[in-house]
Amino acid sequence: MIVLAAKRLVAMLLIMLVVSFILFSLFEADKMAVAGKVLGPYSSIEQREIWLSQNGYDEPFLSRYTQWVGGALHGDFGDSLQYKVPVSELLADRLKNTGILALIFFLIMIPLSLTLGVLAGMKEGSWLDRIISIFSVLTTSIPEFVTATFLTGLFVYTWQLLPGTSSMTGGFSWQEMILPVMVLVIYDFGYVTRMTRASMAEVMTSQYIRTAILKGLPYKRVIMRHALRNALIAPFTVIVLQLNWLLSGLVVVEVFFAYKGFGSLLVDAALFGDIYVIEACVMVAVFIAVFSQFISDIGYTLLNPRIRFS
Amino acid sequence: MTDAVKFDTALPAKRESRLKRFFQALALMRESPVGMIGLLLILFWVMMAILAPFLPLYDPNAIMAPFQKIGATAPDGGIFWLGTDHKGRDILSRIIWGAQKVLIWATFATFVAYVVGMLMGVLAGYKGGWADEIVSFIANIFLSFPFIILCIIIVATLGASGWTVVVAVTFASAPQIMRIVRGLVLDLKTRDYIFAAQTRGESPWYIMLVELLPNARGPLIVDACLRLGYTVVAIATLGFLGLGLPPPDPDWGLMLKEAVPLGAFAGHSMYLPAAALASLILGFNLLADGLREISLRD
Amino acid sequence: MLPTTAVTPVLECKNVNISYYTRAGEIPAVIDFNLTLMPGESMGIVGESGCGKSTVALAIMQYMGKNGRVKSGQILFNGRDLQTMGEDELRSIRGSQISMVYQEPMASLNPSMKIGEQLMEVPLYHESVTEAEAKQRSLDMLAAVRLPDPQRIMDAYPHQISGGQQQRVVIAMALLSKPALLLLDEPTTALDVTVEAGIVQLIKDISKQFGTSMIYISHNLGLILETCDRITVMYSGEAVEAGAVQSVFNEMRHPYTRGLFASIPLPGTNKNSRPLVPIRGQLPLPQNRPQGCYFSPRCDFFQAGRCDTKGGISMRPVSDEQRHDVRCVRFEDIDWANYRPIGLSGDKVEIGKTVLEVKHMKKYYELKDSSLIAMIKGKKVQYVKANEDINLVAHEAETVAIVGESGCGKSTFAKVLMGLEEATEGEVILNGLELSHTPVQQRKAQTVALLQMVFQNPFDTLNPSHTVGSQIARVIKKFDIESDPDKINQRVMELLDLVKLPRDFALRRPRQLSGGQKQRIGIARAFAGRPSVVVADEPVSALDVSVQAAVTGLLTDIQRNLKTTLLFISHDLSVVRYVSDRIVVMYLGHIMEQGTTDEIFNPPYHPYTEALLSAVPIADTSVKKRHIVLEGELPSPVNPPSGCPFQTRCPRKMCAICETQLPALQHTDTGHAIMCHIPIAELRKVEQVFQVEAAN
Ligand SMILES: Nc1ncnc2c1ncn2[C@@H]1O[C@H](COP(=O)(O)OP(=O)(O)OP(=O)(O)O)[C@@H](O)[C@H]1O
Ligand code: SF4
Ligand code: SF4
Ligand SMILES: [Mg+2]
């Protein structure tokens, strides 16, 4: 168990290392291009070379890379080209906003999809199951920004109930949170619901559930004690891995509603060519993804006695 | 017991049976209403994409009268069946040409991703050991990027174009396909017919390509269908973020991006591309669902 | 037809019809089923796969799944129809008055709950006793099913104990509330023979001790004979013969029952004097049942006009016997005394020169132990000793059987021979060529062709994506037997003829074939390259009983005609006795005994062979058998016991020496070899395991 965790941790660090190297080579191997990004397209070659030597770019690539990693470990990713402030400050603020959005989203999505999934999977083929299943295919099929378009059309333009942007310029506003959270939940709950349903349905047809029923146990006990525990193992991993998936969704939703979060920062940076911000954002995103994978693996092992004790 | 029947040559019968099997598969489809709806939606858009050059449409990039309502009369006396957008371009024409573009690039990108992913998957699953460790590690690296973020990085380095989309989709999808194929192969390779092939001394590539892959096709067809859907979403999302296929050619995602801020007074220019996108992706998802249902029955 | 007693039967099924409803329409799974079970009686239901045995059991439990339904008829439990009961009443009966034991113990236990909790549930919910009381009862019951250390088992998860122990737990669970009726659905099918013997003994003792009525479902006639008073034989959804075990076994009336007995290798059978008679054809699918008697296409006594009438055939009592019924219109007319079907007799073939020689072959697998303890101790590698010092010689036209339970190293041995694994030590010599270190890819095509294999699982043996013909053709091409397409085609046809399948099967895909037919194609494929040695790894164990004899017969026929050497790997001593010339008995990677078939089946026995022989269930009332039940579980090959590998379970163990020293092989002058510390002279004094009384 501990060995497994240690192995996973090493693999995780290794991936982070490789990713950082790829990233650094992609964006900073070509020094001239970096200087061009920093000083603008109309800067002369001489200006660029002066800037490069002033900022330590004369050193060989590998030592620049190690310095960059060292800086990154201390949270120092340089200054944003676009906003002229340290990337770390910018990032901390944006991550906080995204964190709030994600938290509210999870608080709604998890109970909703687990309940629906279990209800649907309990009696496979029942009308409740059909309705839930079809509804979740429909909602997952429609990409976030299409859902967002329709919801904006209705709530903002037609009924004029909610604000169409969530930039929170006048401080935190619950009203501005509603649409982004709604879009995320609608897009995402279906997937987890379907996973839960499939897992529950499989458990319900398993032989040990048959044993439990034919032991004469009350239905409630069969579901609560025998089925749920086994049925929720798979959704657990899915939900944790959702973090990775959610990051993609967040990018789109934040851009759509001009929410000042991590995702919109990344897209702005990509459009502007703000390489230091891109590097920082990607490292953070990959860290979240890899870390959630780690948690999900460990959690799966802990939940599953068959693996835990072997 | 041995009522030996006269045996003709094997080939014609085989060809016939392949055709028959295709029609049988189609007939099976009828049994899943959900899958059928999906198939119809996809066929509709595919027809549109194929017929685009032959339909009496305005040039999708021609700038005419802006903000025309649905069914408005065009300056040249024709009709803007679905109105025009803020720049005065015909929305119907843009949607149909947009369908062609997204379908072509999505299919091509998915195909490339599949070729790469399947080769990686069979290799990792069948060979095991070091080959598996290396391929899986490479896959894990790319899997650790959230999909859109990987696309953003690639577009940011390579610049926006159709080819960039292909590269991005390949990097993002191939590792997932690899995982699926690897799992299937790990299961299939313990079958006796694989041992039989090994005991005849078949080469590893023969076993991987002739003995293993054909048996993995069921789940892969379902996945390919879903994945086509994802790729359409990815292309549209990139367009929406302003990182997709470069303008002015019509792109559903970009159309939405431009229309949403003006939704208050030109709702149709926002709803129509949204509906087009939703219906196509829904088509892929429903078809995949139907296929899965049918494959589980048998 | 029923004895007129005042006692109500525990269970009575009256004209029960059960159907499954699928997309393809209604599938009648059980038709016109009748059964009467008196208190304390045990009823065996026997039949081949798909004949409706489990459906009957689940109908009794009133658990038919989503698409199953009892269409008509009554199922009376203690006189009350179970079908009229509501959910609550059923729940109070299930698990307390009727309980069930299932085929796969592992799957039947909840993987994420401790065994203790799963046991205690039963009294807790049925009798509302206290926790402490429930716990005590569970502990007592675990002891009653003879599980060692009940306390530890209570705290274990199902996967932490062995298959045999799991099944004992399931039985304990079923008995916890002293049910009036116990249903056992193939309770030992998933277990090894020696473990099975223990469970069967336990079931017999239980029915005596608790007086529980039992329904014992099995496809194995021998097991029914050992455990039951009465028997119902089912075929394709119908009961075809029912009666007391003794009368059915001694005087079976239905042609199917007769055929079944004639096709299983009993100790009395013999290749020359009393050969096996396979039943021709195969089981009909429920959709394709013929009109009238379902057995008619396979029956030698079929009479048009009588056997194929509309409306089916009904059960009729045998006139001079009590409670013996038969579903055949002609059973009184059949003259069994003059019925001489053609059996699978094999002429004795001269055994030729040495073809295959294995000398001191060892195969160890490395196991990487990544546990923390192993890392700290610095002991990284462990070995699984799959094969230890294997010595074996096989001659032309000879059949050598390798027998042993799961994990004894049979399949590893096959893999080393085939070149899929490299031997750790020793030599494998095929026609004078040393092969043990040449993996199959490096062997020449001719050499590879010389050594081919028939696989166990008919569903896996053929690639589902390619036609049958193309799979055989590939072998012919690969081994350079022919290269011209027409000639290859010709050869494929010849091979289909050889395995007695119609030629147009070449165009079929594997899923269009039945299990037996697939296995025939597997045989054709193995013989396509004109091999000199064929390794058959449990070639019939996954087939229906009535098809097994035909496939075994075919395989040995071809082998004899072509003078091929056959290595027949099996766990089933009865089949082995019938087909092989010599037998090798393996246990935990070691050869324990080796000799001719006669030598193995008669004293001197190796103590393990003796136990193995006694564990084989035999469906013959004239055979008297000694029962030896082995204690303990099969040790894991990762951690084999010190000294003699069999010492942890050996009933004849001689303490210290067996625990410390690996016994040497003792040879008799005829070449019979036994690995045991007990001198052969001593072993010779042991009594026969089974004796056939004068056949009637
Ligand atoms: N859920 C189901 N839906 C449709 N058909 C079924 C279902 N369960 C069983 N059957 C069919 O009913 C028939 C009887 O099946 P059953 O499981 O009772 O046989 P069995 O004698 O127990 O076989 P086995 O020895 O393989 O356990 C078979 O033809 C089987 O295919
Ligand atoms: S009824 Fe006829 S076909 Fe059926 S078993 Fe009896 S004799 Fe044979
Ligand atoms: S050596 Fe000892 S333990 Fe082994 S079989 Fe002989 S008597 Fe039994
Ligand atoms: Mg069964």
Side-chain angles (χ1 to χ4, degrees):
Chain A
M1 181 62 225
I2 300 168
V3 177
L4 181 91
K7 267 189 192 160
R8 288 278 168 211
L9 215 59
V10 170
M12 181 177 143
L13 289 177
L14 208 58
I15 286 183
M16 292 291 295
L17 208 63
V18 175
V19 166
S20 67
F21 187 78
I22 293 175
L23 212 58
F24 192 78
S25 357
L26 272 182
F27 288 106
E28 299 201 27
D30 183 357
K31 289 191 277 189
M32 271 308 172
V34 175
K37 288 253 167 62
V38 176
L39 302 175
Y42 304 114
S43 52
S44 66
I45 305 283
E46 292 78 37
Q47 283 170 321
R48 294 186 189 186
E49 269 164 1
I50 293 169
W51 183 87
L52 283 173
S53 59
Q54 274 172 354
N55 286 278
Y57 274 84
D58 286 343
E59 287 185 44
F61 178 71
L62 274 182
S63 82
R64 267 165 48 211
Y65 169 68
T66 37
Q67 278 171 18
W68 179 76
V69 171
L73 286 178
H74 290 98
D76 175 14
F77 286 97
D79 287 354
S80 157
L81 303 179
Q82 191 179 4
Y83 300 99
K84 317 284 183 220
V85 289
V87 174
S88 51
E89 274 174 35
L90 200 59
L91 201 59
D93 185 43
R94 296 300 191 96
L95 273 177
K96 189 194 78 199
N97 289 343
T98 297
I100 295 172
L101 183 58
L103 186 70
I104 300 176
F105 157 73
F106 271 124
L107 284 181
I108 297 173
M109 187 276 286
I110 293 175
L112 180 74
S113 37
L114 289 189
T115 318
L116 289 179
V118 167
L119 283 179
M122 232 161 70
K123 281 227 165 67
E124 209 187 344
S126 65
W127 61 267
L128 187 65
D129 174 27
R130 276 167 207 278
I131 292 175
I132 293 177
S133 298
I134 289 181
F135 192 62
S136 23
V137 189
L138 288 183
T139 53
T140 9
S141 299
I142 303 175
E144 310 92 325
F145 59 97
V146 175
T147 321
T149 306
F150 286 121
L151 291 182
T152 307
L154 290 178
F155 286 93
V156 181
Y157 297 142
T158 311
W159 298 329
Q160 308 201 333
L161 288 174
L162 294 170
T165 55
S166 312
S167 46
M168 312 257 168
T169 33
F172 185 80
S173 143
W174 281 107
Q175 275 216 330
E176 293 184 21
M177 284 307 269
I178 295 178
L179 276 180
V181 171
M182 197 144 80
V183 170
L184 283 175
V185 169
I186 288 180
Y187 178 59
D188 223 53
F189 90 93
Y191 184 66
V192 182
T193 302
R194 277 157 68 89
M195 281 295 171
T196 315
R197 184 200 101 95
S199 168
M200 185 72 184
E202 192 190 318
V203 168
M204 287 310 286
T205 53
S206 72
Q207 296 197 24
Y208 57 83
I209 291 300
R210 185 179 72 183
T211 309
I213 293 175
L214 296 187
K215 259 200 260 184
L217 297 180
Y219 193 62
K220 202 171 137 205
R221 166 103 184 157
V222 174
I223 297 289
M224 302 302 284
R225 188 69 190 87
H226 286 261
L228 275 188
R229 166 76 191 264
N230 292 300
L232 290 184
I233 295 177
F236 166 81
T237 35
V238 171
I239 289 174
V240 178
L241 292 180
Q242 250 350 55
L243 266 173
N244 186 341
W245 189 247
L246 180 68
L247 283 175
S248 289
L250 276 171
V251 170
V252 177
V253 168
E254 287 181 0
V255 170
F256 192 102
F257 293 105
Y259 184 81
K260 292 235 173 323
F262 163 82
S264 52
L265 178 66
L266 175 58
V267 174
D268 284 348
L271 289 172
F272 188 87
D274 196 345
I275 49 174
Y276 301 131
V277 174
I278 300 182
E279 286 168 357
C281 284
V282 172
M283 284 317 292
V284 169
V286 170
F287 173 76
I288 294 175
V290 179
F291 190 67
S292 60
Q293 174 80 51
F294 172 73
I295 296 290
S296 132
D297 284 353
I298 299 296
Y300 184 76
T301 324
L302 283 179
L303 286 176
N304 202 334
R306 281 167 75 170
I307 303 181
R308 190 167 12 134
F309 290 105
S310 59
Chain B
M1 177 127 211
T2 8
D3 43 334
V5 178
K6 181 85 189 87
F7 177 70
D8 304 323
T9 48
L11 279 173
K14 221 179 197 167
R15 212 174 283 142
E16 179 195 291
S17 80
R18 195 158 285 171
L19 214 93
K20 218 164 79 193
R21 272 166 57 211
F22 177 74
F23 280 111
Q24 277 167 356
L26 217 71
L28 268 179
M29 213 54 237
R30 275 209 315 257
E31 292 183 18
S32 161
V34 170
M36 205 62 202
I37 295 175
L39 189 62
L40 288 178
L41 282 174
I42 296 171
L43 282 181
F44 171 77
W45 286 112
V46 171
M47 288 305 291
M48 285 294 145
I50 293 174
L51 294 179
F54 310 108
L55 293 174
L57 294 171
Y58 288 106
D59 176 351
N61 294 328
I63 294 177
M64 294 168 284
F67 294 122
Q68 293 299 308
K69 292 265 172 290
I70 291 180
T73 315
D76 64 358
I79 296 174
F80 293 128
W81 292 107
L82 298 180
T84 59
D85 67 1
H86 62 290
K87 284 195 179 147
R89 294 170 296 192
D90 181 37
I91 293 182
L92 177 67
S93 164
R94 286 182 75 73
I95 286 183
I96 290 177
W97 284 99
Q100 188 192 58
K101 197 157 129 186
V102 79
L103 278 174
I104 289 176
W105 284 111
T107 314
F108 184 63
T110 311
F111 178 77
V112 174
Y114 249 87
V115 172
V116 176
M118 284 204 296
L119 287 179
M120 285 167 71
V122 193
L123 191 72
Y126 183 70
K127 286 271 181 164
W130 278 109
D132 186 15
E133 301 262 336
I134 291 171
V135 172
S136 293
F137 184 74
I138 295 175
N140 279 338
I141 288 174
F142 289 104
L143 282 174
S144 62
F145 289 94
F147 187 75
I148 289 298
I149 292 179
L150 186 59
C151 294
I152 291 176
I153 302 172
I154 291 173
V155 175
T157 32
L158 297 184
S161 80
W163 296 102
T164 313
V165 170
V166 174
V167 174
V169 169
T170 306
F171 273 112
S173 278
Q176 296 179 9
I177 297 166
M178 173 256 156
R179 277 203 173 177
I180 297 173
V181 175
R182 178 175 171 275
L184 289 169
V185 167
L186 279 181
D187 173 27
L188 289 173
K189 83 169 179 185
T190 60
R191 305 289 167 96
D192 284 343
Y193 54 83
I194 301 302
F195 281 126
Q198 287 170 343
T199 57
R200 320 194 267 276
E202 298 286 6
S203 73
W205 282 107
Y206 178 89
I207 294 180
M208 286 189 247
L209 298 180
V210 181
E211 303 273 347
L212 280 171
L213 261 192
N215 292 307
R217 65 174 178 251
L220 289 185
I221 289 173
V222 174
D223 177 74
C225 195
L226 278 178
R227 207 161 286 287
L228 266 169
Y230 293 150
T231 310
V232 172
V233 176
I235 293 174
T237 306
L238 286 177
F240 178 78
L241 296 177
L243 298 164
L245 309 173
D249 277 345
D251 175 275
W252 289 356
L254 192 60
M255 286 167 77
L256 263 180
K257 177 191 166 75
E258 291 169 351
V260 168
L262 307 166
F265 48 96
H268 67 284
S269 66
M270 155 177 109
Y271 288 131
L272 288 170
L277 190 52
S279 67
L280 179 58
I281 294 160
L282 195 63
F284 283 116
N285 279 293
L286 292 181
L287 181 62
D289 240 39
L291 286 173
R292 187 186 300 127
E293 198 182 319
I294 286 169
S295 70
L296 284 184
R297 273 192 206 150
D298 233 334
Chain C
M1 122 188 175
L2 287 177
T4 48
T5 43
V7 190
T8 2
V10 178
L11 184 80
E12 211 177 348
C13 296
K14 287 185 180 165
N15 309 325
V16 175
N17 285 287
I18 307 168
S19 287
Y20 289 104
Y21 296 86
T22 64
R23 265 184 323 128
E26 179 184 341
I27 297 177
V30 171
I31 301 121
D32 187 30
F33 186 81
N34 288 285
L35 176 151
T36 309
L37 187 70
M38 291 303 185
E41 233 176 20
S42 50
M43 162 72 85
I45 300 183
V46 77
E48 298 172 79
S49 184
C51 72
K53 306 179 301 275
S54 303
T55 306
V56 168
L58 291 173
I60 296 170
M61 290 308 260
Q62 293 289 304
Y63 184 81
M64 295 302 302
K66 270 186 311 212
N67 61 339
R69 197 158 61 81
V70 179
K71 254 177 69 184
S72 61
Q74 288 177 303
I75 302 174
L76 306 174
F77 175 68
N78 282 332
R80 292 204 44 216
D81 194 344
L82 286 166
Q83 299 192 76
T84 59
M85 295 184 186
E87 267 306 309
D88 283 337
E89 201 174 353
L90 278 177
R91 188 182 310 134
S92 69
I93 287 181
R94 286 176 182 157
S96 75
Q97 301 198 45
I98 311 181
S99 42
M100 185 154 174
V101 174
Y102 315 87
Q103 174 168 348
E104 281 169 48
M106 179 68 192
S108 312
L109 292 168
N110 190 328
S112 65
M113 262 167 97
K114 288 193 175 157
I115 286 169
E117 193 182 349
Q118 300 192 45
L119 286 169
M120 283 159 59
E121 272 181 338
V122 178
L124 279 176
Y125 280 88
H126 282 297
E127 298 168 54
S128 27
V129 296
T130 61
E131 290 260 335
E133 160 96 48
K135 183 157 189 195
Q136 192 51 50
R137 281 206 210 170
S138 308
L139 282 169
D140 293 347
M141 194 48 84
L142 286 178
V145 296
R146 288 179 230 132
L147 276 166
D149 200 355
Q151 190 60 57
R152 185 185 65 87
I153 301 231
M154 290 279 280
D155 284 329
Y157 286 98
H159 69 276
Q160 293 173 305
I161 59 177
S162 73
Q165 292 176 328
Q166 286 166 356
Q167 195 59 297
R168 283 172 196 262
V169 167
V170 176
I171 292 175
M173 196 153 78
L175 292 173
L176 260 174
S177 55
K178 311 248 176 323
L181 174 61
L182 181 61
L183 304 175
L184 302 124
D185 189 356
E186 310 249 13
T188 58
T189 309
L191 306 174
D192 270 314
V193 213
T194 55
V195 181
E196 172 180 82
I199 301 274
V200 167
Q201 188 67 44
L202 175 72
I203 291 170
K204 280 198 284 190
D205 294 349
I206 282 168
S207 64
K208 270 208 209 87
Q209 189 185 341
F210 296 89
T212 317
S213 308
M214 286 195 320
I215 292 188
Y216 191 108
I217 294 176
S218 177
H219 62 273
N220 189 325
L221 284 162
L223 283 176
I224 302 280
L225 176 63
E226 290 199 7
T227 49
C228 298
D229 312 320
R230 297 181 53 72
I231 179 173
T232 299
V233 181
M234 291 187 73
Y235 182 78
S236 191
E238 286 181 332
V240 292
E241 182 157 4
V245 162
Q246 288 294 329
S247 59
V248 173
F249 273 64
N250 292 337
E251 258 186 279
M252 48 222 111
R253 304 295 188 129
H254 195 282
Y256 172 65
T257 321
R258 185 61 84 143
L260 208 54
F261 275 97
S263 66
I264 52 179
L266 298 169
T269 53
N270 182 294
K271 259 179 284 196
N272 307 312
S273 62
R274 222 178 112 189
L276 290 190
V277 186
I279 307 178
R280 62 190 147 92
Q282 64 204 51
L283 286 166
L285 289 175
Q287 306 81 281
N288 306 335
R289 288 181 183 133
Q291 184 174 305
C293 172
Y294 295 162
F295 187 59
S296 53
R298 306 175 75 185
C299 180
D300 282 341
F301 303 97
F302 172 78
Q303 221 175 43
R306 283 184 76 190
C307 301
D308 52 4
T309 50
K310 267 214 180 82
I313 313 276
S314 56
M315 271 305 230
R316 288 181 304 125
V318 178
S319 54
D320 51 353
E321 276 181 82
Q322 283 250 311
R323 295 174 75 194
H324 187 174
D325 303 273
V326 179
R327 195 186 292 273
C328 169
V329 284
R330 302 195 54 214
F331 77 85
E332 293 97 340
D333 319 347
I334 298 173
D335 178 12
W336 290 115
N338 289 317
Y339 176 56
R340 290 273 175 271
I342 313 153
L344 292 173
S345 51
D347 302 325
K348 255 219 154 347
V349 201
E350 267 320 296
I351 283 171
K353 59 177 198 319
T354 301
V355 173
L356 177 75
E357 202 173 351
V358 180
K359 287 187 193 159
H360 304 291
M361 199 276 281
K362 272 187 193 166
K363 173 68 195 173
Y364 291 180
Y365 287 105
E366 255 180 49
L367 251 199
K368 284 212 194 84
D369 187 353
S370 56
S371 77
L372 211 54
I373 302 159
M375 275 166 104
I376 292 165
K377 282 191 181 157
K379 191 185 93 180
K380 285 242 176 66
V381 222
Q382 267 189 312
Y383 290 102
V384 182
K385 299 179 178 169
N387 282 170
E388 273 290 5
D389 199 21
I390 304 286
N391 289 288
L392 183 130
V393 178
H395 303 95
E396 190 183 65
E398 188 181 34
T399 302
V400 180
I402 299 170
V403 193
E405 295 174 277
S406 64
C408 75
K410 296 172 292 194
S411 300
T412 305
F413 177 62
K415 280 189 191 155
V416 172
L417 280 189
M418 305 308 296
L420 298 180
E421 299 279 357
E422 197 183 326
T424 313
E425 256 176 52
E427 294 172 63
V428 172
I429 302 165
L430 176 71
N431 288 342
L433 219 60
E434 212 290 314
L435 288 178
S436 62
H437 299 285
T438 322
V440 63
Q441 283 93 351
Q442 290 164 27
R443 296 183 183 176
K444 284 207 214 70
Q446 294 102 305
T447 318
V448 176
L450 284 181
L451 188 59
Q452 281 297 296
M453 188 153 173
V454 178
F455 295 90
Q456 170 171 14
N457 189 342
F459 300 99
D460 266 10
T461 189
L462 301 177
N463 192 328
S465 298
H466 305 300
T467 60
V468 164
S470 69
Q471 296 190 53
I472 302 178
R474 174 73 195 173
V475 183
I476 299 170
K477 237 180 293 177
K478 183 78 194 168
F479 293 155
D480 294 330
I481 305 293
E482 300 287 355
S483 51
D484 174 53
D486 286 338
K487 289 236 178 80
I488 291 181
N489 226 339
Q490 189 50 40
R491 180 90 184 112
V492 171
M493 295 306 116
E494 287 166 17
L495 283 162
L496 284 173
D497 294 347
L498 184 71
V499 294
K500 303 203 171 101
L501 287 175
R503 290 188 164 197
D504 65 342
F505 270 39
L507 289 181
R508 294 213 188 172
R509 275 170 205 278
R511 70 183 141 79
Q512 296 165 296
L513 268 54
S514 74
Q517 289 167 340
K518 282 185 210 163
Q519 215 53 340
R520 284 167 193 260
I521 299 290
I523 292 172
R525 185 177 60 187
F527 281 94
R530 307 209 175 93
S532 61
V533 178
V534 167
V535 180
D537 190 354
E538 308 254 13
V540 295
S541 64
L543 299 178
D544 279 323
V545 187
S546 68
V547 184
Q548 282 185 6
V551 174
T552 317
L554 178 82
L555 178 62
T556 46
D557 253 12
I558 298 176
Q559 172 245 338
R560 271 159 214 280
N561 292 340
L562 301 179
K563 292 194 179 304
T564 316
T565 307
L566 181 65
L567 286 188
F568 193 93
I569 299 179
S570 177
H571 68 276
D572 185 347
L573 273 167
S574 323
V575 179
V576 160
R577 192 189 60 83
Y578 192 82
V579 299
S580 51
D581 304 305
R582 276 190 319 113
I583 297 178
V584 176
V585 181
M586 286 181 73
Y587 185 79
L588 283 184
H590 290 266
I591 293 184
M592 304 302 264
E593 184 173 1
Q594 181 167 176
T596 64
T597 306
D598 275 346
E599 286 166 345
I600 296 292
F601 278 78
N602 292 298
Y605 299 117
H606 184 282
Y608 174 63
T609 314
E610 190 184 356
L612 205 57
L613 285 175
S614 90
V616 179
I618 291 168
D620 191 336
T621 50
S622 65
V623 172
K624 287 284 160 283
K625 193 176 82 174
R626 282 194 290 133
H627 285 277
I628 301 166
V629 172
L630 292 183
E631 300 287 322
E633 305 287 328
L634 222 76
S636 136
V638 190
N639 245 330
S642 60
C644 169
F646 189 48
Q647 56 96 348
T648 51
R649 302 168 78 200
C650 179
R652 298 189 184 278
K653 180 170 123 179
M654 307 185 302
C655 298
I657 186 168
C658 293
E659 283 172 18
T660 49
Q661 270 186 36
L662 187 70
L665 263 187
Q666 312 182 56
H667 295 269
T668 67
D669 22 342
T670 54
H672 183 189
I674 293 180
M675 192 175 94
C676 180
H677 287 302
I678 303 176
I680 288 209
E682 205 60 34
L683 290 170
R684 222 182 273 282
K685 294 181 193 149
V686 170
E687 201 193 332
Q688 282 267 356
V689 173
F690 35 70
Q691 261 139 7
V692 186
E693 288 174 354
N696 32 357

